[in-house]
Amino acid sequence: MTRTDTAHDPERATLDKAAGENFPVAPFFLPRAWRTDLMAVYGFARLVDDIGDGDLAPGGADARLLGVPAGEAGDRLVLLDAFEADLRRVFDGTPGHPLLRRLQPTVRRHRLTPEPFLGLIAANRQDQLVTRYETYDDLLAYCELSANPVGRLVLAVTGTSTPERVRRSDAVCTALQIVEHLQDVAEDLGRDRVYLPAEDMKRFHVQEADLAEPTAGASVRALVAYEAERARGLLNEGAPLVGSVHGRLRLLLAGFVAGGRAAIGAIAAADYDVLPGPPKPGKVQLLREVGVTLRGEG
């Protein structure tokens, strides 16, 4: 599909981004019903992130579908408000956006509640208002909105949600969010966002100007290594989630954990220099980590 085609089909333009994610969204080995529901959840999550990041398909089709006037189509907070209003129609009416119409049968099938979806919208609203985080705890509170709802939705869709699994899932999802922030330090700075906690930057004598350099100096590398180890600890905390389920879901969740571990490995292989661009793991490294995770050796 060409760029022009996707501009006229914002639903397809959003769903096609699944192939570029760090983690498997709805892999082929899952039952068809799960794949359908997980893609519906992904479509919601990807679109709300695209609204928050200003990455909507060109042409303004999403704004029109949400009933936002052309003159306000560039206002992300207006778009997020309209998206939230359309989300609420998923639960008590007929939404206007095709991605939300796609989501409605999934919500009804699994009796999903609005809360995780509202959390993802709140995270993107926060991105418009908060661009720096003073402490690690502040960052964790952001991840509670921006990442953890996704794992909770996966558990709900697959009918495997328990309080202990939710706790483990939250650890994995927060870790994946932190790893993504580490990979995207330069890109985030270009959006005037810094997700490295200010207290840690001070501890490692890192200034924001250091993050704008083409390559990382020793202080930035030490800071990135420190945050990567924190993420690794969270992945290890959440990894028992994999062994708590069976069958194809076990393989999917192992892919999430392994994806985070492989990304940390790629960051380490780059000597923690994330500034030239996001270090990405190769397929061999990812498969190796899947095996380690499935065996419970991590």
Side-chain angles (χ1 to χ4, degrees):
M1 183 175 288
T2 66
R3 177 179 289 272
T4 301
D5 293 332
T6 57
H8 292 291
D9 185 359
E11 181 182 17
R12 178 47 49 197
T14 300
L15 294 175
D16 282 349
K17 295 180 180 180
E21 298 291 353
N22 271 344
F23 50 85
V25 173
F28 70 92
F29 56 77
L30 293 180
R32 182 184 297 274
W34 283 7
R35 295 203 310 269
T36 297
D37 289 333
L38 290 173
M39 281 303 295
V41 169
Y42 171 78
F44 172 90
R46 182 68 269 165
L47 182 58
V48 73
D49 278 355
D50 285 348
I51 292 173
D53 290 341
D55 288 339
L56 293 175
D62 291 295
R64 289 193 298 275
L65 288 165
L66 294 172
V68 174
E72 297 181 278
D75 189 323
R76 298 177 194 178
L77 287 172
V78 169
L79 285 169
L80 288 168
D81 287 347
F83 192 56
E84 179 176 332
D86 210 28
L87 168 69
R88 293 187 184 278
R89 295 184 196 105
V90 170
F91 295 89
D92 61 12
T94 303
H97 199 288
L99 283 170
L100 293 179
R101 290 199 297 272
R102 175 188 287 260
L103 180 65
Q104 194 168 43
T106 296
V107 164
R108 290 174 174 171
R109 212 168 8 250
H110 301 286
R111 299 180 181 179
L112 303 180
T113 64
E115 282 72 24
F117 301 103
L118 292 171
L120 293 171
I121 293 174
N124 279 275
R125 202 174 271 126
Q126 184 167 315
D127 274 335
Q128 313 312 310
L129 306 171
V130 180
T131 59
R132 306 292 189 276
Y133 291 85
E134 181 60 33
T135 69
Y136 182 63
D137 284 344
D138 293 338
L139 184 63
L140 293 182
Y142 169 74
C143 292
E144 176 70 19
L145 297 173
S146 68
N148 298 359
V150 175
R152 296 181 183 198
L153 285 167
V154 170
L155 293 176
V157 162
T158 56
T160 55
S161 184
T162 67
E164 177 64 10
R165 286 181 180 140
V166 166
R167 186 178 75 80
R168 300 285 190 184
S169 171
D170 285 354
V172 171
C173 290
T174 291
L176 293 176
Q177 180 77 86
I178 291 172
V179 170
E180 184 176 336
H181 287 159
L182 294 178
Q183 290 175 309
D184 294 340
V185 167
E187 179 183 335
D188 289 335
L189 186 64
R191 299 180 190 271
D192 191 30
R193 296 177 189 167
V194 177
Y195 294 103
L196 296 166
E199 65 178 7
D200 296 342
M201 290 176 64
K202 291 172 188 171
R203 174 180 173 183
F204 286 90
H205 308 288
V206 172
Q207 306 290 325
E208 279 194 25
D210 299 327
L211 305 180
E213 296 292 334
T215 60
S219 295
V220 171
R221 292 174 195 243
L223 172 60
V224 171
Y226 176 73
E227 305 298 352
E229 282 308 304
R230 276 178 153 171
R232 191 191 305 276
L234 286 168
L235 285 173
N236 291 342
E237 180 184 335
L241 172 67
V242 176
S244 78
V245 299
H246 304 285
R248 299 176 190 182
L249 178 59
R250 188 164 179 256
L251 186 55
L252 177 69
L253 298 183
F256 292 154
V257 174
R261 288 172 167 167
I264 291 171
I267 291 170
D271 198 18
Y272 301 101
D273 185 2
V274 296
L275 299 186
K280 299 280 189 179
K283 287 186 178 179
V284 171
Q285 186 179 2
L286 178 59
L287 289 172
R288 184 181 301 119
E289 291 291 355
V290 168
V292 168
T293 301
L294 285 170
R295 292 192 298 271
E297 297 173 3

